[in-house]
Amino acid sequence: MHRLIIPIVLSFITAYATAQLSYTLTYQDTVSGKIKVYIDLGKEQKTPISFIMPRSVPGGHAIFIYDKFIDKISCLDKKGMHFSMTKDVNDAPRWYFRDSGKAITGLTYEVDLKKMETQLAPGDASIVRKGFAGLLNYSIFGWIEGTEKEPVSCTVETMASWPIFTSTHPSVSLEKGRLKFNTADYYSLADGQIFMGDRFRVKKFEGLLPLFVASYSETGDEYLDDYGLQGTMSMGILKDYFGELPFKEYTILLRNAIPPVPGSAPTLAMEHLQSATFFGDTAGIRKKQMSKEELIASMPTYLHHMAHSLIPLRSYGDAYRPYVMEIPPIINNIWFNEGFMWFLPCDTLKLERLKKVFYYNVYNTTAIIKKMSLQELSQIGSTMYGVDFRIGRAIYSRGAMMAMEMNAYLKEKTRGQKSMKDVLRFIYRWSKENKRAFTLDEFPLLINQAAGIDLSGIYRKWQLPIE
């Protein structure tokens, strides 16, 4: 009898251990612009269950209502029977299935991308065009509560002739029609982007590490080599500044499309752990090689966003977290995340015009913004950073000017032996060693420890309203 039981138990354990949480994304209906998503739990899960869409994106500093583009959501049992789910009565980004005693194996839903693009800013929305779909994974993938830290297998299915590119596992050898890849967990999946179609290009450049440039331009192909040069130069600058690069490869994704609804707000880029996505219309696409001066002048935004892969995505403080969340946090130190990483290109590229931009944004904004302390401004910017970009500009510019003043003071007191480069490298290494966020009480102590001299006076000065 024991000989029969043991194989059965081992078989059950093996089956359970190899069960794989998997996501399948299907885009084969170009007319409706709707994407279908199926989440397979890989095993049965007892009810109740909750499905959640993110409303907070790292570096987005806004409220993202991606849940309003979800439709036809239901869960399934092992027989393939569908059961409807109920949206939260408070309009939280959650759906529930509470029928007790049921065992669920998966969940399916649709995402309306055409509706998404008409209601969100260009930099917040996934898009579809003739021969192209550009997806921000966090805008289409939600999670079943309790599964967010499990390893994920993701399969993308589309038209048989369409190449597929993912920033999660970039390549110039693109599979067509179907692509399968793995991520460490849901958060890693949500951090990625996907291009598919026959209207985009991918080019690889050799730098300190491989650099990929994936480009879609609705009205004609862009000249990509200067993006490659700016990206590989940025790698060199960051390696020198921080002593290492935290990624194995990096992708610059370019998405230039004619917006369906005209808007006045600037379109901001989005940083990720090993990529950054840059959005725009088609007015300023690059058609030819730049001069050296033009290349350096337009480089700060690419260096800035690549620098975000270190700070704050791997070194951060306060309530910021480097992954999507259900409820947007109120962050008190966006000025560090954005301002110090705008100081970096100003410091390394030696562009005096950036200093003038920072000064103008700080001292020539409206009185109501100048009257706010830096912490108050950051709190408001947690959800209004780009919605009213006066707020965003003031936040990063005050942070950059704080770093500039600290840098000048450090160099003066140490006769050029130390600078903010030492401070930022110290903070990055501290985060790597301690594997946690620093608190706002710790932050001024950390910069003093890194500098070897007291920078508290400068720190306190820039926390105050602008006179």
Side-chain angles (χ1 to χ4, degrees):
M1 187 174 179
H2 293 292
R3 291 179 182 177
L4 292 174
I5 292 174
I6 291 173
I8 293 171
V9 172
L10 288 176
S11 176
F12 175 81
I13 293 172
T14 301
Y16 186 86
T18 57
Q20 174 73 64
L21 177 68
S22 63
Y23 283 64
T24 300
L25 179 158
T26 304
Y27 178 61
Q28 294 175 331
D29 181 0
T30 60
V31 176
S32 70
K34 292 183 178 180
I35 278 183
K36 295 180 180 180
V37 177
Y38 171 59
I39 305 174
D40 187 343
L41 286 163
K43 58 182 181 291
E44 290 186 326
Q45 180 171 318
K46 292 289 186 179
T47 53
I49 67 165
S50 301
F51 173 76
I52 307 163
M53 283 296 291
R55 281 190 177 174
S56 172
V57 174
H61 306 318
I63 302 172
F64 299 88
I65 316 293
Y66 291 125
D67 47 289
K68 68 180 175 180
F69 310 112
I70 301 295
D71 194 18
K72 297 181 179 178
I73 182 168
S74 62
C75 52
L76 298 80
D77 65 14
K78 65 181 179 180
K79 295 180 180 179
M81 293 288 293
H82 285 251
F83 305 94
S84 61
M85 302 187 71
T86 305
K87 183 77 187 294
D88 187 275
V89 294
N90 299 299
D91 205 29
R94 283 176 171 254
W95 288 258
Y96 305 102
F97 180 64
R98 295 190 173 101
D99 190 348
S100 61
K102 294 288 186 182
I104 299 304
T105 60
L107 185 148
T108 183
Y109 59 92
E110 291 184 353
V111 186
D112 190 333
L113 299 188
K114 288 187 176 180
K115 181 180 178 183
M116 183 187 295
E117 192 180 1
T118 60
Q119 297 188 20
L120 297 183
D124 302 336
S126 293
I127 69 168
V128 289
R129 292 291 187 276
K130 183 180 179 180
F132 176 73
L135 310 180
L136 305 169
N137 287 7
Y138 47 68
S139 74
I140 57 174
F141 291 133
W143 72 94
I144 296 172
E145 189 167 31
T147 69
E148 56 269 32
K149 294 183 180 181
E150 295 181 19
V152 173
S153 171
C154 180
T155 301
V156 180
E157 297 178 343
T158 186
M159 276 62 75
S161 63
W162 276 24
I164 306 168
F165 176 88
T166 172
S167 63
T168 308
H169 296 284
S171 173
V172 291
S173 301
L174 303 181
E175 296 185 33
K176 294 183 178 180
R178 188 176 188 273
L179 174 67
K180 186 174 182 178
F181 59 92
N182 297 317
T183 65
D185 50 31
Y186 163 77
Y187 296 123
S188 301
L189 175 66
D191 184 65
Q193 307 96 71
I194 295 169
F195 278 8
M196 52 184 165
D198 53 18
R199 292 286 308 278
F200 75 93
R201 296 182 299 148
V202 180
K203 193 165 185 177
K204 183 179 180 181
F205 298 89
E206 296 299 335
L208 290 175
L209 295 171
L211 174 77
F212 297 84
V213 178
S215 169
Y216 168 75
S217 184
E218 189 171 358
T219 57
D221 290 341
E222 277 205 277
Y223 179 78
L224 300 183
D225 287 5
D226 286 335
Y227 289 113
L229 184 54
Q230 289 172 321
T232 54
M233 289 174 64
S234 294
M235 285 183 183
I237 291 170
L238 294 175
K239 175 68 182 298
D240 174 70
Y241 216 87
F242 291 97
E244 67 178 36
L245 295 173
F247 40 76
K248 294 181 180 178
E249 65 270 316
Y250 195 86
T251 303
I252 293 173
L253 295 103
L254 309 166
R255 207 184 75 186
N256 297 304
I258 300 169
V261 180
S264 59
T267 302
L268 306 180
M270 281 301 298
E271 64 268 12
H272 307 273
L273 285 166
Q274 58 182 40
S275 62
T277 313
F278 298 88
F279 311 91
D281 57 25
T282 57
I285 63 174
R286 300 180 182 182
K287 284 297 191 180
K288 61 181 181 179
Q289 185 175 8
M290 291 179 170
S291 67
K292 183 178 179 181
E293 291 74 19
E294 290 172 330
L295 188 140
I296 296 299
S298 61
M299 186 170 160
T301 189
Y302 302 98
L303 175 57
H304 167 81
H305 283 90
M306 189 181 289
H308 274 322
S309 68
L310 293 106
I311 295 175
L313 280 165
R314 290 176 171 89
S315 176
Y316 51 90
D318 192 42
Y320 174 94
R321 292 297 179 268
Y323 46 78
V324 299
M325 289 190 278
E326 179 180 359
I327 298 175
I330 299 302
I331 305 170
N332 292 296
N333 69 332
I334 298 175
W335 48 266
F336 167 72
N337 302 351
E338 297 295 336
F340 280 43
M341 289 303 97
W342 270 115
F343 162 77
L344 190 147
C346 181
D347 185 38
T348 56
L349 298 176
K350 311 301 181 187
L351 294 174
E352 289 297 316
R353 69 173 179 83
L354 284 180
K355 296 180 183 179
K356 295 178 181 179
V357 169
F358 300 150
Y359 187 92
Y360 183 87
N361 290 340
V362 171
Y363 293 102
N364 291 277
T365 190
T366 52
I368 191 172
I369 290 176
K370 288 196 283 188
K371 288 178 181 178
M372 295 179 191
S373 70
L374 193 51
Q375 186 164 307
E376 290 173 322
L377 192 59
S378 184
Q379 290 171 347
I380 292 173
S382 299
T383 55
M384 293 284 290
Y385 188 91
V387 176
D388 180 345
F389 201 39
R390 298 174 305 168
I391 295 168
R393 291 182 191 277
I395 292 171
Y396 77 70
S397 295
R398 287 199 207 179
M401 290 192 70
M402 180 198 301
M404 285 167 50
E405 186 171 342
M406 287 179 174
N407 192 51
Y409 186 77
L410 256 176
K411 287 183 174 181
E412 177 190 349
K413 294 299 181 181
T414 65
R415 296 183 180 181
Q417 295 301 304
K418 282 198 172 184
S419 67
M420 282 300 287
K421 176 179 176 180
D422 299 287
V423 173
L424 291 175
R425 181 182 287 203
F426 177 90
I427 291 173
Y428 170 72
R429 291 193 177 279
W430 182 93
S431 298
K432 186 176 179 180
E433 292 168 4
N434 288 274
K435 298 179 181 179
R436 66 171 177 84
F438 53 78
T439 68
L440 284 185
D441 289 336
E442 288 175 316
F443 183 75
L445 303 177
L446 289 173
I447 59 175
N448 284 350
Q449 184 179 348
I453 61 175
D454 189 0
L455 297 172
S456 301
I458 299 172
Y459 178 81
R460 288 193 299 269
K461 167 190 168 182
W462 284 101
Q463 299 300 316
L464 301 174
I466 299 299
E467 296 181 357

